[in-house]
Amino acid sequence: MGSLFRSEEMTLCQLFLQSEAAYACVSELGELGLVQFRDLNPDVNAFQRKFVNEVRRCDEMERKLRYLEKEIRKDGIPMLEIPGECPEAPQPREMIDLEATFEKLENELREVNQNAEALKRNYLELTELKHILRKTQVFFDERLYCDADTGVYRSPLSFVAGVILRERIPAFERMLWRACRGNVFLRQAEIDTPLEDPSSSDQVYKSVFIIFFQGDQLKTRVKKICEGFRATLYPCPEAPADRREMAMGVMTRIEDLNTVLGQTQDHRHRVLVAAAKNIRNWFVKVRKIKAIYHTLNLFNLDVTQKCLIAECWVPALDMETIQLALRRGTERSGSSVPPILNRMETMEDPPTYNRNNKFTIAFQNLIYAYGVATYREVNPAPYTIITFPFLFAVMFGDLGHGALMAIFGFWMCYKEKPLQAKKIDSEIWNIFFGGRYIILLMGLFSMYTGLIYNDIFSKSLNIFGSSWRNNYNISTLETNKLLQLNPDSWDYLQAPYPFGIDPVWQLAEANKIIFMNAYKMKISIIIGVFHMLFGVCMSLWNHLYFKRRISIYVEFIPQIIFLTVLFFYMVLLMFMKWTFYGATIDNFGSKDPDIVKSSGFCAPSILITFINMMLFKTDENPRTQCDPTMYPGQIGLQKFFVLVALVCVPVMLFGKPYFIMQERKKRALQGQQPLAENAENGTAGGAPVPTSHHQEEEISEVFIHQAIHTIEYVLGSISHTASYLRLWALSLAHAQLAEVAWNMLLRKGLKSAGYEGGVFLYVVFAGWAAISVSILVLMEGLSAFLHTLRLHWVEFQSKFYAGEGYLFQPFSFEVILDSAGQAEE
């Protein structure tokens, strides 16, 4: 769990591998997935690297496998998934066997396909000829006369017969009429059953036609037109006896072709079924081989051409595991020379690596969407696991809607493995499924805040009994359409509801929103100030780890003081107001000054008090019997707090530049070079850490840099505190939308009576449910999610998180195969 709070300690290593053992060692490291190799040949063209031929061979094998896969999918044959673990990367000598296998399968399949296509084309021609012989009998009967000498029926016109696509008939007929000036006679009849195109295997509809004309000139013109429209012409005897004889021969040949086609298809199917059993394993093996040779192309050869040299980033904690993997690879290759893995000294910033599981990875991705953490800086992800769903729930607080979200999240978590196996190709679904644990927690937290707000589908639950006297019966509600609750009255028992908000406030149409606004607004400010204070405290953890002593004095301490004396003090005033003032019996005529001063009648406004504090202004309470302050010495203490906050600003602005100037003068007097600032930089646990470049910058640039950060923090403290009011605003909007949906739809349906009322309620409930899910859960949930994301990225993480690192991307077969699988889909 250590790397969850701060990224793993990384080290740069140099790896020496014997050429014979390099393939097996890289294969073991790919299975491990803990090594990120650097390209030692950045200026070498990809086609000039040592193992480019092996990569090309792998590309060719992949092409053949994709061809096999396409044919398998075309026949609808299921491809077996890999049982158990994925196969290991085969040895280099096995590439020859794989290539021979794929070559044999491809050639056999192509030959079978060519034969099948030729047979299908022959079958199509015979089928079309069969339809011509059948359909043209009627056409000949209309155009024949009997020869008196021979007794044979002959036509006075020449003719051609053929088949054409049905949709081309109108254009074909117009072209014949125009080109031949109306001197041809066209008859056509549709073929009822579709015919299979041998090239594309599509089902097409065609028509038989016969064209009568006279003269060789028209014959040439007609044939050219037929050729242009891709019509197929067939010989058709003029005599009925010849046509019958030809038809019998055609039927015999069609039956023979059916038999041969069936045998060809059976053979093709057997070849594809055999290939389908192993194609997944073949893909894995080829991709692993290709990945290994791609990685080997990043290495350098030594002068003896017998050793490969690599540089790689590795987690320091996994050095022993990597050494064991290298030994296994050496043993597999049969090499007697052990690999050498040496640590290297470097000032380069290492990559950021956080170990995650299926639960934490979703929250880590939220952080990475803002920016990858700078090496070894505090990781906000573990704290986001709690704060993110909680802040979301403050805006989405509804027990019913939260339950719907939690059920959906729980279903995705419970059906995790079956849903992953389906590999659904939908970007929206993949986003939901990837954040299933976030959705589950957001739903559970929303159920909790819904109980606090006592809000379930805009209604309340009276679990513990109201703290107001039971005089709000039906007649009272009917006569008081705008009921107003007054805590400073006999109706209130002066005892709060045990958990959450009293359900009777649901009836107070006149002042319910005023009460909820005041409550949620103050809660939002309190949560926001504590959230920002926590973020500033996280910066202290960074300063201590990186040994930035000056930053603690001139950044963290002024920042925490500034935020505390102004905004945390405002939060304390809220708690003091809740503690010191309350509803009393003042309305019943009490004259005791102590009771009057502690009543809600004299409670000062926190907003006005804070504004007066910043303006060094004192407003007298218009009520003469009331004290404008909450405690003795409040005015003087508030002025002192403002002065302290003002003093913090120049400390943040000039503190670091001043210390840097003093450090440079000290080094100049000692005759030393202005190296990296010792007080600002260092090493943590022996690992390199990000270095500050203030010593290398001009002092004017340091001033500008510090001025930007100071102005950003001071103004940001004000704007960020106000930004947390979105917690109140969205919570109010969600509650009001839910109430509108209830009053406009479901409430009217529940009031309906009789048989018609039941039907009306059924329809209304469907509409209310659809609106609740689509608008109140999906759209409002997305809105609250985006606002929560902003509060974490801007208001919280800006206090301590730089996010200027780059991600650790190790050589991993698992990642490569997953990426290839997603690309295929």
Side-chain angles (χ1 to χ4, degrees):
M1 290 295 290
S3 70
L4 186 61
F5 294 94
R6 193 183 296 279
S7 62
E8 286 278 346
E9 182 182 335
M10 307 295 291
T11 182
L12 183 64
C13 294
Q14 194 170 36
L15 178 61
F16 296 87
L17 297 173
Q18 190 183 14
S19 297
E20 292 79 5
Y23 181 93
C25 291
V26 172
S27 174
E28 290 290 337
L29 294 178
E31 299 289 352
L32 201 61
L34 288 173
V35 178
Q36 177 178 328
F37 292 100
R38 302 172 69 183
D39 190 359
L40 300 183
N41 308 295
D43 300 326
V44 179
N45 190 292
F47 300 102
Q48 297 174 344
R49 303 204 177 196
K50 179 175 177 58
F51 300 98
V52 64
N53 291 329
E54 285 78 1
V55 173
R56 285 175 175 171
R57 288 167 63 188
C58 292
D59 287 335
E60 181 64 18
M61 286 192 289
E62 261 195 307
R63 183 196 61 77
K64 293 174 181 177
L65 286 176
R66 285 195 296 268
Y67 172 72
L68 289 174
E69 184 184 34
K70 178 184 175 183
E71 296 298 317
I72 290 170
R73 292 184 185 277
K74 186 187 294 185
D75 277 23
I77 301 172
M79 291 178 288
L80 299 180
E81 296 294 332
I82 302 171
E85 297 182 357
C86 291
E88 294 183 352
Q91 295 298 318
R93 60 181 175 269
E94 295 181 38
M95 281 184 64
I96 300 174
D97 297 334
L98 289 174
E99 285 178 314
T101 302
F102 301 157
E103 183 74 20
K104 178 184 175 183
L105 282 173
E106 184 190 29
N107 291 338
E108 185 176 3
L109 194 57
R110 287 191 183 278
E111 184 179 355
V112 170
N113 286 344
Q114 289 173 1
N115 293 337
E117 184 176 348
L119 291 172
K120 286 181 180 179
R121 194 173 301 280
N122 197 1
Y123 179 81
L124 176 66
E125 292 173 355
L126 291 173
T127 305
E128 291 178 346
L129 181 56
K130 178 187 71 174
H131 286 290
I132 287 176
L133 295 174
R134 288 181 180 177
K135 299 285 186 181
T136 55
Q137 181 62 41
V138 179
F139 306 150
F140 281 112
D141 291 343
E142 296 174 356
R143 292 290 166 182
L144 294 179
Y145 70 92
C146 183
D147 190 336
D149 297 331
T150 62
V152 177
Y153 286 88
R154 296 188 179 278
S155 171
L157 302 175
S158 300
F159 68 91
V160 293
V163 175
I164 191 173
L165 289 175
R166 189 178 298 178
E167 60 268 19
R168 295 178 182 171
I169 284 290
F172 181 58
E173 190 172 2
R174 286 196 300 271
M175 181 59 71
L176 283 171
W177 178 263
R178 293 173 182 172
C180 300
R181 303 180 184 275
N183 293 319
V184 296
F185 180 70
L186 171 69
R187 294 297 305 273
Q188 60 92 13
E190 295 179 354
I191 300 176
D192 298 330
T193 57
L195 304 176
E196 182 181 355
D197 187 348
S199 302
S200 61
S201 299
D202 295 334
Q203 299 294 321
V204 294
Y205 288 89
K206 295 188 175 183
S207 295
V208 171
F209 67 87
I210 186 168
I211 306 171
F212 295 95
F213 53 84
Q214 193 170 22
D216 293 337
Q217 187 177 1
L218 281 179
K219 181 178 182 180
T220 304
R221 194 173 298 176
V222 167
K223 285 187 175 182
K224 286 184 177 180
I225 294 173
C226 292
E227 183 180 352
F229 279 85
R230 295 184 182 178
T232 308
L233 300 180
Y234 291 96
C236 181
E238 188 174 353
D242 295 339
R243 284 199 300 275
R244 283 194 297 270
E245 184 179 354
M246 179 179 284
M248 292 175 63
V250 167
M251 293 302 297
T252 303
R253 292 175 61 190
I254 287 177
E255 291 177 2
D256 295 340
L257 271 178
N258 272 328
T259 304
V260 177
L261 267 174
Q263 294 173 351
T264 305
Q265 292 294 340
D266 289 343
H267 177 64
R268 180 178 186 273
H269 187 76
R270 285 194 299 270
V271 172
L272 292 177
V273 168
K277 294 178 181 177
N278 300 308
I279 193 165
R280 295 292 189 194
N281 283 343
W282 288 337
F283 264 120
V284 171
K285 289 180 179 179
V286 171
R287 283 167 180 163
K288 284 187 176 182
I289 297 172
K290 183 179 177 182
I292 292 172
Y293 282 118
H294 264 302
T295 304
L296 289 174
N297 276 332
L298 306 178
F299 294 10
N300 261 341
L301 276 171
D302 70 338
V303 292
T304 64
Q305 302 289 314
K306 294 182 179 180
C307 180
L308 288 171
I309 305 171
E311 290 182 6
C312 53
W313 289 106
V314 299
L317 293 177
D318 295 313
M319 286 289 290
E320 186 175 346
T321 306
I322 294 168
Q323 293 275 18
L324 290 174
L326 291 172
R327 290 196 200 104
R328 286 196 305 269
T330 305
E331 293 171 0
R332 282 179 53 194
S333 65
S335 174
S336 59
V337 180
I340 301 173
L341 186 66
N342 294 328
R343 293 198 182 199
M344 299 173 61
E345 294 296 330
T346 180
M347 295 305 294
E348 182 181 348
D349 292 341
T352 300
Y353 175 45
N354 295 101
R355 298 183 196 269
N356 288 283
N357 53 39
K358 63 182 181 180
F359 174 73
T360 60
I361 187 61
F363 295 94
Q364 190 68 64
N365 286 335
L366 289 179
I367 305 303
Y368 286 163
Y370 175 82
V372 178
T374 307
Y375 176 66
R376 299 294 283 168
E377 83 172 330
V378 173
N379 181 22
Y383 317 105
T384 304
I385 294 174
I386 299 300
T387 59
F388 191 92
F390 177 72
L391 292 183
F392 172 87
V394 173
M395 294 182 274
F396 196 75
D398 188 292
L399 181 60
H401 299 149
L404 294 176
M405 185 173 291
I407 290 170
F408 179 58
F410 177 77
W411 174 77
M412 287 192 293
C413 295
Y414 182 72
K415 297 286 187 179
E416 183 177 289
K417 291 184 179 179
L419 291 173
Q420 280 179 335
K422 289 183 178 180
K423 296 181 180 179
I424 301 173
D425 187 18
S426 170
E427 186 175 357
I428 295 177
W429 165 256
N430 290 330
I431 291 173
F432 278 117
F433 185 73
R436 56 194 178 278
Y437 291 101
I438 300 178
I439 294 174
L440 175 61
L441 287 181
M442 290 192 305
L444 294 176
F445 275 74
S446 298
M447 293 173 66
Y448 166 75
T449 53
L451 287 173
I452 293 292
Y453 297 155
N454 205 344
D455 196 355
I456 173 170
F457 297 122
S458 81
K459 298 291 108 180
S460 296
L461 295 174
N462 193 349
I463 301 174
F464 303 102
S466 176
S467 295
W468 295 72
R469 302 183 190 277
N470 298 323
N471 62 338
Y472 297 107
N473 50 31
I474 296 178
S475 61
T476 303
L477 297 177
E478 288 179 349
T479 55
N480 296 274
K481 296 298 183 182
L482 295 176
L483 182 63
Q484 180 169 336
L485 297 182
N486 183 10
D488 190 10
S489 67
W490 177 84
D491 296 330
Y492 184 47
L493 300 178
Q494 303 301 322
Y497 192 67
F499 185 82
I501 294 176
D502 199 304
V504 77
W505 281 102
Q506 193 68 238
L507 308 175
E509 295 291 339
N511 62 339
K512 177 182 69 172
I513 294 181
I514 297 175
F515 168 75
M516 294 299 293
N517 271 358
Y519 167 73
K520 292 183 178 180
M521 190 186 301
K522 291 182 175 64
I523 289 294
S524 300
I525 295 297
I526 293 170
I527 292 174
V529 171
F530 277 103
H531 200 212
M532 291 190 295
L533 283 171
F534 181 59
V536 176
C537 292
M538 288 294 99
S539 68
L540 174 62
W541 196 5
N542 275 334
H543 298 328
L544 291 173
Y545 183 82
F546 295 132
K547 297 181 173 59
R548 297 196 291 244
R549 180 172 53 85
I550 293 177
S551 294
I552 297 176
Y553 298 145
V554 299
E555 287 184 352
F556 168 72
I557 292 178
Q559 286 176 357
I560 200 74
I561 291 176
F562 183 87
L563 201 59
T564 301
V565 298
L566 294 182
F567 300 100
F568 183 71
Y569 174 71
M570 180 173 62
V571 170
L572 290 179
L573 290 180
M574 295 178 189
F575 284 103
M576 292 170 66
K577 181 176 179 179
W578 289 338
T579 305
F580 295 165
Y581 301 92
T584 66
I585 57 173
D586 179 63
N587 284 354
F588 295 93
S590 174
K591 302 299 182 182
D592 188 343
D594 294 332
I595 294 178
V596 171
K597 290 180 181 179
S598 63
S599 67
F601 178 74
C602 286
S605 168
I606 300 297
L607 180 60
I608 298 301
T609 301
F610 186 74
I611 293 173
N612 290 337
M613 169 183 169
M614 300 301 296
L615 298 177
F616 292 94
K617 180 182 176 183
T618 303
D619 278 351
E620 296 295 334
N621 197 315
R623 303 184 179 94
T624 55
Q625 70 271 35
C626 296
D627 190 349
T629 61
M630 296 186 185
Y631 57 90
Q634 178 180 349
I635 303 299
L637 183 62
Q638 290 180 168
K639 291 180 179 179
F640 173 74
F641 281 168
V642 175
L643 292 174
V644 170
L646 293 175
V647 170
C648 289
V649 176
V651 174
M652 290 186 283
L653 183 60
F654 301 109
K656 182 174 285 189
Y658 172 78
F659 279 106
I660 291 176
M661 291 173 62
Q662 293 299 316
E663 185 69 19
R664 289 183 178 180
K665 289 180 181 178
K666 182 179 177 181
R667 288 186 175 278
L669 291 174
Q670 295 175 353
Q672 297 179 7
Q673 295 294 327
L675 301 176
E677 184 184 357
N678 290 337
E680 276 296 294
N681 309 290
T683 59
V689 297
T691 58
S692 174
H693 302 287
H694 290 312
Q695 282 289 359
E696 302 172 1
E697 296 176 348
E698 294 291 335
I699 196 65
S700 59
E701 294 181 1
V702 176
F703 270 109
I704 293 173
H705 182 270
Q706 201 63 22
I708 292 173
H709 280 277
T710 302
I711 294 172
E712 181 183 8
Y713 181 81
V714 173
L715 297 182
S717 298
I718 302 170
S719 63
H720 291 176
T721 304
S723 183
Y724 279 92
L725 289 174
R726 69 186 68 238
L727 299 175
W728 151 64
L730 265 77
S731 175
L732 179 66
H734 185 79
Q736 291 302 305
L737 281 174
E739 188 171 351
V740 168
W742 180 280
N743 292 333
M744 297 297 292
L745 292 174
L746 198 57
R747 184 179 182 182
K748 295 182 178 180
L750 293 172
K751 283 184 175 181
S752 58
Y755 174 77
E756 297 82 0
V759 176
F760 180 67
L761 176 60
Y762 180 82
V763 175
V764 165
F765 177 80
W768 174 80
I771 289 175
S772 296
V773 173
S774 61
I775 297 179
L776 298 176
V777 176
L778 288 178
M779 293 183 62
E780 281 285 305
L782 178 60
S783 174
F785 179 89
L786 295 176
H787 283 283
T788 309
L789 202 60
R790 182 242 152 79
L791 289 177
H792 280 79
W793 282 357
V794 180
E795 279 71 26
F796 175 57
Q797 291 176 197
S798 63
K799 305 294 187 296
F800 66 96
Y801 187 71
E804 296 176 350
Y806 64 100
L807 200 60
F808 177 59
Q809 295 178 322
F811 170 59
S812 170
F813 287 145
E814 183 180 358
V815 174
I816 292 170
L817 294 176
D818 286 345
S819 300
Q822 292 174 3
E824 286 179 0
E825 294 170 9

